[in-house]
Amino acid sequence: MLLQTKKICKQFGGVYALRDVSVDIRAGEVHGLVGENGAGKSTLIKILTGVYSLDSGEILWEGRPAVIRNPRESAALGIHVIHQDRQLVPAFSGVENCYLGLPYEVRHGRIDWGKMRSRVLTLASELGIEMNFTVPAARLTPPEQTMLNLMRALMNDCRLLILDEPTASLTDKETSVLFRIIGQLKEKGTSILYVTHRMEEIFRLTDRVTVMKNGQAAGTFATAEMDENKLIAKMTDNVVSEKAGSTAVRLGDEVLRVEHLSSRDGKAADVSLRARKGEILGVFGLGGSGRTEFLETLYGYRPMRGGTITVDGKRYEKPSPAASLKRRMVLICEDRRKMALIMPFSIRNNITLPVLSRYASRGILREKQEKQAAEAGIREMSVKCSGDSQPVSELSGGNQQKVVFAKAMQSDPEIFLCDEPTQAVDVMTRNEIHRLLRQRAEAGCAVVFVSSDLKEVLEVADEIQIIAHGKSGKLLTNDHLTSEEVLRCCYEEA
């Protein structure tokens, strides 16, 4: 046995991200790790790689207790990870990136670039990887960057290689190369922890698979003894939506239509959907599916490459945040601190910022009217504060999110694009946000609702649009729909 975790726990704000997780990885095996969003996979990886420290429990390495307090200690054991988001220095060449964390080759007191290039090219030849290692990493294609990350890991003494959604950006050619390399590493005795949402890869590559659910290990199974339906059933509590199929009675005209939308960076590849007045349209996908990128492209944060957007029957060209607000479309961002709020500003300044011109005349701000509008927003959203002049940074996370909604309401929106709108808020605030969105839908607005929490999507959505790998999949009517049915659709699209 190479690695064992015994009842490890990790909490954030009193909430368990991992609870009594015991997993073992054998030397020379490919071990799958699966689970729905928020199951604890990423937290477990971060503990094994020293990004997080565990609160309790034990890690054993080759049968002996191991302490992993930082990434350097993890690497010293021989644990290396390739994240879905590639970890490279964009301005460094391929050779320099391969040597990150390693001592440079030196000859006569000077860096021996020739020897370094030779070592990198030799490894590339052994692995069957072809690319230009002299250009900056920023000029490499996404698949080449992924393969460069792989080479960087294998430049070290790699005993356990963790691959987190490694094929997400790879072409069929690079995927074949990766699978062949995994086979070579397995023959040499290197262990692989393979994290993916693609079921066919689990059954093709892994010897055993561990299922994570609600921060716990639901079990480890021999892959040969499982099938896709059994694995999906292990991942979820199979929550059944209590919503009945009565949506057709109260849904109004179509207010938003998106056809084959793609972003310039390819994160959103081909998304089509439509939203109607009175509707909360859930958008759900597994990690890395492109949900956030789709909303940002639709709103105008992210440059659009192709597709068409129609709002209230009129073609919407070249979207931008300012143009979206004019079309009464608002975005509730996933990251409120970086994208939605200016933390040192007062509550009032944050709420009125999108429509500040409304309270100005000839360059002079009408502070009384601005204050009245901000106080009305505070009352409507029940923001707990000392007053409208209080810095928004002093508020709790839930009250900050209420300010985000109060700010959005200033534009009198007809379309709400909500990206994880209840993330990191308390239960009462979560319920208030759900109630607000339902009230706005019943008043004739359309709501596009993105959440990683499948139970939440089943709770609030009238229909659920599946997204996988930046592309839209099936549209499901939320009529006593089960979480297992939704997950199965996600994995079929993946």
Side-chain angles (χ1 to χ4, degrees):
M1 200 65 67
L2 179 68
L3 172 75
Q4 292 172 278
T5 70
K6 291 191 172 183
K7 294 188 175 182
I8 62 174
C9 297
K10 182 66 180 179
Q11 296 184 66
F12 296 99
V15 177
Y16 278 98
L18 293 178
R19 188 164 193 166
D20 295 331
V21 174
S22 298
V23 177
D24 59 79
I25 300 175
R26 298 167 182 165
E29 79 166 335
V30 181
H31 192 111
L33 185 65
V34 299
E36 61 177 304
N37 299 328
K41 304 185 300 294
S42 296
T43 303
L44 177 60
I45 290 172
K46 288 177 179 178
I47 285 177
L48 296 180
T49 53
V51 177
Y52 294 156
S53 59
L54 50 80
D55 295 333
S56 62
E58 187 178 22
I59 298 175
L60 301 181
W61 184 259
E62 294 185 318
R64 295 185 293 274
V67 178
I68 303 176
R69 293 165 294 195
N70 53 59
R72 186 174 295 275
E73 291 182 345
S74 175
L77 291 174
I79 301 174
H80 298 277
V81 61
I82 298 176
H83 295 284
Q84 185 176 353
D85 297 325
R86 294 164 291 277
Q87 307 292 311
L88 298 171
V89 179
F92 278 17
S93 70
V95 172
E96 290 172 302
N97 272 288
C98 282
Y99 268 86
L100 286 175
L102 292 174
Y104 279 16
E105 309 290 349
V106 177
R107 185 168 180 248
H108 303 313
R110 303 182 67 177
I111 296 174
D112 190 343
W113 293 105
K115 187 174 181 180
M116 290 169 61
R117 280 193 295 270
S118 177
R119 181 181 172 189
V120 170
L121 291 174
T122 298
L123 177 61
S125 177
E126 293 173 355
L127 299 176
I129 296 174
E130 298 178 2
M131 72 175 76
N132 187 345
F133 292 95
T134 63
V135 301
R139 290 173 53 187
L140 298 175
T141 65
E144 287 175 333
Q145 290 176 0
T146 298
M147 302 311 284
L148 187 58
N149 260 309
L150 176 61
M151 287 188 58
R152 176 184 164 193
L154 298 181
M155 289 280 288
N156 298 269
D157 178 23
C158 186
R159 304 284 308 284
L160 172 60
L161 179 62
I162 302 174
L163 299 175
D164 186 5
E165 296 288 347
T167 61
S169 64
L170 297 185
T171 65
D172 290 343
K173 178 182 177 181
E174 280 89 9
T175 297
S176 297
V177 172
L178 175 65
F179 290 174
R180 178 173 47 75
I181 292 172
I182 289 173
Q184 293 174 351
L185 294 174
K186 182 179 177 181
E187 289 178 2
K188 293 179 180 179
T190 302
S191 300
I192 311 287
L193 181 59
Y194 197 91
V195 186
T196 185
H197 291 304
R198 297 180 174 180
M199 283 293 175
E200 72 274 10
E201 295 178 6
I202 288 293
F203 290 104
R204 175 175 176 175
L205 297 172
T206 66
D207 302 299
R208 294 188 299 153
V209 57
T210 292
V211 177
M212 297 292 295
K213 181 174 72 174
N214 301 326
Q216 296 180 297
T220 298
F221 311 93
T223 308
E225 298 175 0
M226 300 295 287
D227 59 31
E228 185 171 320
N229 289 332
K230 289 180 181 178
L231 272 183
I232 292 174
K234 294 286 184 183
M235 290 182 207
T236 178
D237 294 324
N238 203 23
V239 175
V240 180
S241 168
E242 296 180 0
K243 296 181 70 64
S246 58
T247 58
V249 177
R250 52 186 172 79
L251 296 185
D253 296 334
E254 180 180 283
V255 67
L256 172 68
R257 176 177 289 269
V258 181
E259 295 176 303
H260 307 295
L261 185 71
S262 62
S263 59
R264 191 179 298 167
D265 60 10
K267 298 289 187 179
D270 183 2
V271 181
S272 300
L273 57 75
R274 56 98 185 94
R276 295 167 289 181
K277 293 181 179 181
E279 177 179 29
I280 297 181
L281 174 65
V283 176
F284 186 78
L286 303 171
S289 60
R291 301 161 305 177
T292 293
E293 292 82 358
F294 160 66
L295 288 188
E296 290 179 352
T297 305
L298 174 58
Y299 189 66
Y301 271 145
R302 192 175 291 261
M304 176 177 161
R305 180 177 63 194
T308 60
I309 303 170
T310 306
V311 178
D312 280 333
K314 298 178 181 178
R315 183 82 170 263
Y316 181 19
E317 305 277 2
K318 298 180 180 179
S320 69
S324 293
L325 286 176
K326 289 181 181 179
R327 286 165 176 78
R328 300 176 64 193
M329 181 162 62
V330 296
L331 173 64
I332 307 298
C333 305
E334 180 180 15
D335 191 338
R336 57 177 172 264
R337 288 178 170 269
K338 289 183 179 179
M339 298 181 68
L341 298 172
I342 302 176
M343 302 307 289
F345 277 23
S346 68
I347 298 171
R348 181 202 312 168
N349 292 156
N350 272 283
I351 288 176
T352 61
L353 188 60
V355 291
L356 197 57
S357 60
R358 185 185 300 171
Y359 308 108
S361 177
R362 298 180 180 179
I364 298 175
L365 182 65
R366 298 196 300 271
E367 294 188 19
K368 182 178 180 180
Q369 287 90 335
E370 183 199 20
K371 181 178 176 66
Q372 289 174 344
E375 288 176 342
I378 290 170
R379 287 193 301 272
E380 181 180 10
M381 292 304 305
S382 302
V383 180
K384 294 181 180 179
C385 60
S386 60
D388 66 285
S389 61
Q390 184 178 4
V392 76
S393 59
E394 295 180 359
L395 301 180
S396 67
N399 282 293
Q400 287 177 0
Q401 190 70 343
K402 290 181 180 181
V403 172
V404 172
F405 271 93
K407 173 184 172 183
M409 299 294 284
Q410 288 286 307
S411 303
D412 188 25
E414 183 181 41
I415 302 170
F416 287 81
L417 307 178
C418 299
D419 189 8
E420 305 284 2
T422 62
Q423 188 178 73
V425 303
D426 59 85
V427 174
M428 288 188 63
T429 302
R430 179 179 181 272
N431 292 337
E432 288 176 29
I433 290 173
H434 289 174
R435 189 160 49 248
L436 168 70
L437 293 175
R438 179 54 66 189
Q439 289 172 351
R440 299 309 300 171
E442 291 175 350
C445 295
V447 178
V448 180
F449 187 92
V450 167
S451 175
S452 298
D453 186 344
L454 179 51
K455 296 176 185 177
E456 181 180 32
V457 176
L458 288 169
E459 181 181 341
V460 303
D462 301 308
E463 293 183 311
I464 299 175
Q465 176 65 62
I466 302 297
I467 289 186
H469 303 297
K471 299 179 181 180
S472 49
K474 291 182 179 179
L475 177 66
L476 307 174
T477 300
N478 192 10
D479 184 358
H480 301 299
L481 196 61
T482 69
S483 57
E484 189 172 325
E485 288 174 310
V486 177
L487 278 180
R488 185 172 290 109
C489 288
C490 290
Y491 282 106
E492 287 173 358
E493 298 292 340

